[in-house]
Amino acid sequence: KTVNDTQATPVRTLPDAQTVTTVRHWTDRLFSFRVTRPQSLRFRSGEFVMIGLLDDRGKPLLRAYSIASPSWDEELEFYSIKVPDGPLTSRLQHIQPGDQIILRPKPVGTLVLDALLPGKRLWFLATGTGIAPFASLMRDPETYEKYDQVVMMHTCRTVAELDYGRQLVESLKDDPLIGELVGDKLKYYPTTTREEFSQMGRITDNLTSGKVFDDLGIAPMDRERDRAMVCGSLAFNHDVKAVLESFGLREGANSDPQEYVVEKAFVGDGI
Ligand code: FAD
Ligand code: A2P
């Protein structure tokens, strides 16, 4: 093996190659990057695509990734975990501007505004990298055209793991394209569970106890007003669903819009 084995393999010969434009490392477990966008790619904010690299034998090694940028952005952004011995991310974490990745331009997913019945208040509930689809939806004008209020709850174990989401939310105020539209409609409620922080606790607990409603000074959830989108680990999704159902919300899909929709942030128990 040479040093280059740990680098992203160039995929210039593939039709689905896109070029990396920026890479930012947030922690030793998290990074984000932007790539060129295929001219023909249309997607709905919240959807995911398959991206990857060539493996050692020259075969595409692809994984599902939420598009973290909004549909109007001329580039595509992704927010990624680094799994130490993960087949894709052990290599993907080494990409540099100018490298190429494979991107299959077939966006799909349930976390889209069309999968919800009209409502007044929209909740984005995420743990870990599950914030990625909401990084897209929080930057989409349609979100604020359709809802009077948007609440982003994001929970991670540590404070540093919240940074990507926190900086994104902070940047929205000054965004020339949607800053005015967002105004004070977006309420951000980040919490940690394993490191001291100004707000703490699991999303499920903060909803069930009513703490988040008290802290934000807003009314509790109900079926008439509230819509929700959920993205986290299997265990998180499972437990949040029960909480949302207790408030009377029902799970929907593209083909059957209801009051909430769910997507896995990843498959497995997490690292
Ligand atoms: P894998 O063999 O795919 O995973 C190894 C193990 O690592 C998994 O079994 C799991 O225990 C853990 N793991 C994998 N991904 C994560 C994660 N994101 N957070 C915590 N633990 C994890 N990943 C992203 O980083 N960003 C995304 O936007 C994203 N969107 C996804 C959307 C969908 C619909 C699905 C199904 C998955 C998504 N994933 C996302 C997970 C992604 O597809 C890969 O699993 C991840 O990139 C790791 O790939 P790998 O080959 O290195 O390891
Ligand atoms: P906790 O630290 O109490 O387990 P993970 O890294 O395990 O995927 O967790 C990411 C975040 O999601 C952590 O803050 C974790 O809290 C929280 N979490 C994990 N499982 C659940 C669950 N079933 N319900 C609510 N929150 C969860």
Side-chain angles (χ1 to χ4, degrees), residues 48 63-66 79-81 83 86-89 129 132 264-271:
F48 67 88
R63 293 287 186 268
Y65 269 81
S66 295
Y79 180 51
S80 181
I81 193 82
V83 183
L88 179 63
T89 57
T129 60
K264 286 188 283 285
F266 58 90
V267 181
D269 294 333
I271 56 164

mmCIF file of all heavy atoms in Angstrom, residues 48 63-66 79-81 83 86-89 129 132 264-271, ligand 1:
data_model
loop_
_atom_site.group_PDB
_atom_site.id
_atom_site.type_symbol
_atom_site.label_atom_id
_atom_site.label_comp_id
_atom_site.label_asym_id
_atom_site.label_seq_id
_atom_site.Cartn_x
_atom_site.Cartn_y
_atom_site.Cartn_z
ATOM 1 N N PHE A 48 -32.360 12.941 -0.283
ATOM 2 C CA PHE A 48 -30.994 12.412 -0.258
ATOM 3 C C PHE A 48 -30.613 11.798 -1.600
ATOM 4 O O PHE A 48 -31.487 11.482 -2.412
ATOM 5 C CB PHE A 48 -30.791 11.412 0.888
ATOM 6 C CG PHE A 48 -31.555 10.115 0.767
ATOM 7 C CD1 PHE A 48 -31.022 9.031 0.091
ATOM 8 C CD2 PHE A 48 -32.811 9.975 1.365
ATOM 9 C CE1 PHE A 48 -31.721 7.830 -0.011
ATOM 10 C CE2 PHE A 48 -33.524 8.770 1.266
ATOM 11 C CZ PHE A 48 -32.977 7.702 0.578
ATOM 12 N N ARG A 63 -22.982 5.486 -0.721
ATOM 13 C CA ARG A 63 -23.812 5.543 0.484
ATOM 14 C C ARG A 63 -24.844 6.646 0.323
ATOM 15 O O ARG A 63 -24.618 7.618 -0.407
ATOM 16 C CB ARG A 63 -22.953 5.863 1.717
ATOM 17 C CG ARG A 63 -21.970 4.787 2.125
ATOM 18 C CD ARG A 63 -22.678 3.600 2.771
ATOM 19 N NE ARG A 63 -21.744 2.614 3.287
ATOM 20 C CZ ARG A 63 -21.300 1.567 2.596
ATOM 21 N NH1 ARG A 63 -21.693 1.375 1.345
ATOM 22 N NH2 ARG A 63 -20.465 0.713 3.148
ATOM 23 N N ALA A 64 -25.956 6.508 1.051
ATOM 24 C CA ALA A 64 -26.997 7.542 1.026
ATOM 25 C C ALA A 64 -26.524 8.765 1.814
ATOM 26 O O ALA A 64 -25.972 8.617 2.907
ATOM 27 C CB ALA A 64 -28.277 6.983 1.649
ATOM 28 N N TYR A 65 -26.728 9.945 1.251
ATOM 29 C CA TYR A 65 -26.407 11.206 1.937
ATOM 30 C C TYR A 65 -27.490 12.231 1.694
ATOM 31 O O TYR A 65 -27.863 12.489 0.546
ATOM 32 C CB TYR A 65 -25.071 11.791 1.424
ATOM 33 C CG TYR A 65 -23.894 11.330 2.230
ATOM 34 C CD1 TYR A 65 -23.334 10.092 2.009
ATOM 35 C CD2 TYR A 65 -23.363 12.129 3.251
ATOM 36 C CE1 TYR A 65 -22.261 9.646 2.766
ATOM 37 C CE2 TYR A 65 -22.289 11.693 4.013
ATOM 38 C CZ TYR A 65 -21.750 10.445 3.770
ATOM 39 O OH TYR A 65 -20.705 10.008 4.523
ATOM 40 N N SER A 66 -27.963 12.847 2.763
ATOM 41 C CA SER A 66 -28.901 13.957 2.625
ATOM 42 C C SER A 66 -28.175 15.132 1.987
ATOM 43 O O SER A 66 -27.027 15.416 2.331
ATOM 44 C CB SER A 66 -29.401 14.394 3.999
ATOM 45 O OG SER A 66 -30.137 13.357 4.584
ATOM 46 N N TYR A 79 -23.004 16.901 4.897
ATOM 47 C CA TYR A 79 -22.492 16.933 6.276
ATOM 48 C C TYR A 79 -22.282 15.485 6.678
ATOM 49 O O TYR A 79 -23.237 14.697 6.638
ATOM 50 C CB TYR A 79 -23.524 17.607 7.170
ATOM 51 C CG TYR A 79 -23.138 17.717 8.622
ATOM 52 C CD1 TYR A 79 -21.909 18.243 9.002
ATOM 53 C CD2 TYR A 79 -24.026 17.314 9.625
ATOM 54 C CE1 TYR A 79 -21.566 18.357 10.347
ATOM 55 C CE2 TYR A 79 -23.692 17.439 10.967
ATOM 56 C CZ TYR A 79 -22.465 17.952 11.314
ATOM 57 O OH TYR A 79 -22.129 18.068 12.643
ATOM 58 N N SER A 80 -21.059 15.134 7.035
ATOM 59 C CA SER A 80 -20.756 13.711 7.166
ATOM 60 C C SER A 80 -20.082 13.299 8.468
ATOM 61 O O SER A 80 -19.262 14.016 9.021
ATOM 62 C CB SER A 80 -19.851 13.278 6.003
ATOM 63 O OG SER A 80 -19.543 11.901 6.085
ATOM 64 N N ILE A 81 -20.434 12.100 8.874
ATOM 65 C CA ILE A 81 -19.755 11.402 9.952
ATOM 66 C C ILE A 81 -18.410 10.880 9.416
ATOM 67 O O ILE A 81 -18.235 10.738 8.213
ATOM 68 C CB ILE A 81 -20.647 10.220 10.422
ATOM 69 C CG1 ILE A 81 -20.184 9.632 11.738
ATOM 70 C CG2 ILE A 81 -20.728 9.126 9.361
ATOM 71 C CD1 ILE A 81 -20.651 10.386 12.926
ATOM 72 N N VAL A 83 -16.636 7.483 10.159
ATOM 73 C CA VAL A 83 -16.599 6.193 10.858
ATOM 74 C C VAL A 83 -15.184 5.651 10.690
ATOM 75 O O VAL A 83 -14.740 5.454 9.558
ATOM 76 C CB VAL A 83 -17.627 5.195 10.260
ATOM 77 C CG1 VAL A 83 -17.637 3.885 11.039
ATOM 78 C CG2 VAL A 83 -19.024 5.800 10.210
ATOM 79 N N GLY A 86 -15.139 2.717 8.624
ATOM 80 C CA GLY A 86 -16.257 2.674 7.672
ATOM 81 C C GLY A 86 -15.732 2.572 6.249
ATOM 82 O O GLY A 86 -14.809 3.306 5.884
ATOM 83 N N PRO A 87 -16.305 1.664 5.452
ATOM 84 C CA PRO A 87 -15.800 1.494 4.084
ATOM 85 C C PRO A 87 -15.717 2.811 3.321
ATOM 86 O O PRO A 87 -14.689 3.102 2.702
ATOM 87 C CB PRO A 87 -16.833 0.544 3.455
ATOM 88 C CG PRO A 87 -17.384 -0.221 4.609
ATOM 89 C CD PRO A 87 -17.380 0.721 5.780
ATOM 90 N N LEU A 88 -16.763 3.632 3.356
ATOM 91 C CA LEU A 88 -16.703 4.891 2.615
ATOM 92 C C LEU A 88 -16.023 6.008 3.405
ATOM 93 O O LEU A 88 -15.088 6.654 2.924
ATOM 94 C CB LEU A 88 -18.106 5.353 2.194
ATOM 95 C CG LEU A 88 -18.074 6.685 1.429
ATOM 96 C CD1 LEU A 88 -17.306 6.557 0.115
ATOM 97 C CD2 LEU A 88 -19.478 7.215 1.174
ATOM 98 N N THR A 89 -16.489 6.272 4.626
ATOM 99 C CA THR A 89 -16.038 7.508 5.288
ATOM 100 C C THR A 89 -14.608 7.457 5.795
ATOM 101 O O THR A 89 -14.001 8.497 6.030
ATOM 102 C CB THR A 89 -17.001 7.921 6.426
ATOM 103 O OG1 THR A 89 -17.104 6.861 7.360
ATOM 104 C CG2 THR A 89 -18.364 8.303 5.868
ATOM 105 N N THR A 129 -25.848 13.694 12.760
ATOM 106 C CA THR A 129 -25.847 14.132 11.355
ATOM 107 C C THR A 129 -27.266 14.213 10.788
ATOM 108 O O THR A 129 -27.435 14.634 9.647
ATOM 109 C CB THR A 129 -25.012 13.180 10.471
ATOM 110 O OG1 THR A 129 -25.581 11.864 10.554
ATOM 111 C CG2 THR A 129 -23.556 13.148 10.905
ATOM 112 N N ALA A 132 -28.678 17.195 8.724
ATOM 113 C CA ALA A 132 -28.354 17.501 7.311
ATOM 114 C C ALA A 132 -29.574 17.871 6.444
ATOM 115 O O ALA A 132 -29.559 18.910 5.785
ATOM 116 C CB ALA A 132 -27.557 16.357 6.688
ATOM 117 N N LYS A 264 -34.397 7.809 8.356
ATOM 118 C CA LYS A 264 -33.216 7.364 9.091
ATOM 119 C C LYS A 264 -32.030 8.272 8.763
ATOM 120 O O LYS A 264 -31.805 8.577 7.592
ATOM 121 C CB LYS A 264 -32.839 5.937 8.679
ATOM 122 C CG LYS A 264 -33.747 4.882 9.221
ATOM 123 C CD LYS A 264 -33.184 3.499 8.923
ATOM 124 C CE LYS A 264 -33.404 3.065 7.499
ATOM 125 N NZ LYS A 264 -34.752 2.649 7.150
ATOM 126 N N ALA A 265 -31.259 8.671 9.781
ATOM 127 C CA ALA A 265 -30.028 9.431 9.526
ATOM 128 C C ALA A 265 -28.919 8.479 9.107
ATOM 129 O O ALA A 265 -27.948 8.877 8.472
ATOM 130 C CB ALA A 265 -29.606 10.213 10.766
ATOM 131 N N PHE A 266 -29.058 7.208 9.491
ATOM 132 C CA PHE A 266 -28.103 6.165 9.103
ATOM 133 C C PHE A 266 -28.693 4.830 9.524
ATOM 134 O O PHE A 266 -29.659 4.793 10.303
ATOM 135 C CB PHE A 266 -26.732 6.369 9.776
ATOM 136 C CG PHE A 266 -26.779 6.385 11.271
ATOM 137 C CD1 PHE A 266 -26.642 5.205 12.000
ATOM 138 C CD2 PHE A 266 -26.972 7.569 11.960
ATOM 139 C CE1 PHE A 266 -26.704 5.214 13.397
ATOM 140 C CE2 PHE A 266 -27.025 7.586 13.353
ATOM 141 C CZ PHE A 266 -26.893 6.405 14.068
ATOM 142 N N VAL A 267 -28.125 3.747 9.006
ATOM 143 C CA VAL A 267 -28.576 2.417 9.385
ATOM 144 C C VAL A 267 -27.585 1.845 10.390
ATOM 145 O O VAL A 267 -26.380 1.988 10.215
ATOM 146 C CB VAL A 267 -28.673 1.505 8.146
ATOM 147 C CG1 VAL A 267 -29.163 0.116 8.517
ATOM 148 C CG2 VAL A 267 -29.599 2.136 7.112
ATOM 149 N N GLY A 268 -28.075 1.216 11.448
ATOM 150 C CA GLY A 268 -27.184 0.628 12.456
ATOM 151 C C GLY A 268 -27.327 1.349 13.780
ATOM 152 O O GLY A 268 -28.169 2.232 13.938
ATOM 153 N N ASP A 269 -26.481 0.971 14.719
ATOM 154 C CA ASP A 269 -26.600 1.490 16.081
ATOM 155 C C ASP A 269 -25.825 2.778 16.304
ATOM 156 O O ASP A 269 -25.855 3.350 17.392
ATOM 157 C CB ASP A 269 -26.102 0.446 17.095
ATOM 158 C CG ASP A 269 -27.011 -0.768 17.098
ATOM 159 O OD1 ASP A 269 -28.201 -0.602 16.763
ATOM 160 O OD2 ASP A 269 -26.522 -1.864 17.412
ATOM 161 N N GLY A 270 -25.073 3.221 15.321
ATOM 162 C CA GLY A 270 -24.268 4.428 15.496
ATOM 163 C C GLY A 270 -22.892 4.097 16.017
ATOM 164 O O GLY A 270 -22.646 2.982 16.490
ATOM 165 N N ILE A 271 -21.978 5.086 15.902
ATOM 166 C CA ILE A 271 -20.606 4.817 16.337
ATOM 167 C C ILE A 271 -20.364 5.435 17.708
ATOM 168 O O ILE A 271 -21.116 6.259 18.167
ATOM 169 C CB ILE A 271 -19.567 5.349 15.321
ATOM 170 C CG1 ILE A 271 -19.765 6.857 15.068
ATOM 171 C CG2 ILE A 271 -19.632 4.565 14.056
ATOM 172 C CD1 ILE A 271 -18.577 7.508 14.402
HETATM 173 P P1 FAD B 1 -21.124 2.172 7.036
HETATM 174 O O1 FAD B 1 -20.708 0.741 6.836
HETATM 175 O O2 FAD B 1 -22.180 2.707 6.109
HETATM 176 O O3 FAD B 1 -21.587 2.396 8.528
HETATM 177 C C1 FAD B 1 -20.904 1.751 9.591
HETATM 178 C C2 FAD B 1 -21.620 2.059 10.887
HETATM 179 O O4 FAD B 1 -21.350 3.404 11.268
HETATM 180 C C3 FAD B 1 -23.152 1.991 10.808
HETATM 181 O O5 FAD B 1 -23.612 0.672 10.971
HETATM 182 C C4 FAD B 1 -23.539 2.874 11.937
HETATM 183 O O6 FAD B 1 -23.434 2.168 13.150
HETATM 184 C C5 FAD B 1 -22.457 3.966 11.915
HETATM 185 N N1 FAD B 1 -22.893 5.182 11.172
HETATM 186 C C6 FAD B 1 -23.028 5.312 9.830
HETATM 187 N N2 FAD B 1 -23.433 6.567 9.499
HETATM 188 C C7 FAD B 1 -23.561 7.234 10.672
HETATM 189 C C8 FAD B 1 -23.953 8.557 10.980
HETATM 190 N N3 FAD B 1 -24.299 9.452 10.004
HETATM 191 N N4 FAD B 1 -23.966 8.920 12.276
HETATM 192 C C9 FAD B 1 -23.619 8.028 13.243
HETATM 193 N N5 FAD B 1 -23.246 6.767 13.017
HETATM 194 C C10 FAD B 1 -23.216 6.364 11.736
HETATM 195 N N6 FAD B 1 -24.444 9.903 6.878
HETATM 196 C C11 FAD B 1 -23.911 11.123 7.006
HETATM 197 O O7 FAD B 1 -22.836 11.257 7.574
HETATM 198 N N7 FAD B 1 -24.554 12.230 6.512
HETATM 199 C C12 FAD B 1 -25.755 12.149 5.877
HETATM 200 O O8 FAD B 1 -26.306 13.169 5.423
HETATM 201 C C13 FAD B 1 -26.354 10.853 5.743
HETATM 202 N N8 FAD B 1 -27.582 10.701 5.159
HETATM 203 C C14 FAD B 1 -28.143 9.458 5.106
HETATM 204 C C15 FAD B 1 -29.446 9.310 4.592
HETATM 205 C C16 FAD B 1 -30.056 8.062 4.567
HETATM 206 C C17 FAD B 1 -31.461 7.926 4.007
HETATM 207 C C18 FAD B 1 -29.365 6.916 5.056
HETATM 208 C C19 FAD B 1 -30.000 5.549 5.039
HETATM 209 C C20 FAD B 1 -28.080 7.053 5.534
HETATM 210 C C21 FAD B 1 -27.458 8.312 5.589
HETATM 211 N N9 FAD B 1 -26.166 8.473 6.111
HETATM 212 C C22 FAD B 1 -25.633 9.733 6.247
HETATM 213 C C23 FAD B 1 -25.317 7.310 6.487
HETATM 214 C C24 FAD B 1 -24.404 6.969 5.293
HETATM 215 O O9 FAD B 1 -25.190 6.389 4.268
HETATM 216 C C25 FAD B 1 -23.259 6.006 5.664
HETATM 217 O O10 FAD B 1 -23.692 4.997 6.506
HETATM 218 C C26 FAD B 1 -22.094 6.745 6.317
HETATM 219 O O11 FAD B 1 -21.558 7.659 5.377
HETATM 220 C C27 FAD B 1 -20.971 5.820 6.772
HETATM 221 O O12 FAD B 1 -20.508 5.097 5.648
HETATM 222 P P2 FAD B 1 -19.338 4.039 5.822
HETATM 223 O O13 FAD B 1 -19.267 3.248 4.546
HETATM 224 O O14 FAD B 1 -18.091 4.730 6.246
HETATM 225 O O15 FAD B 1 -19.814 3.100 6.998
#
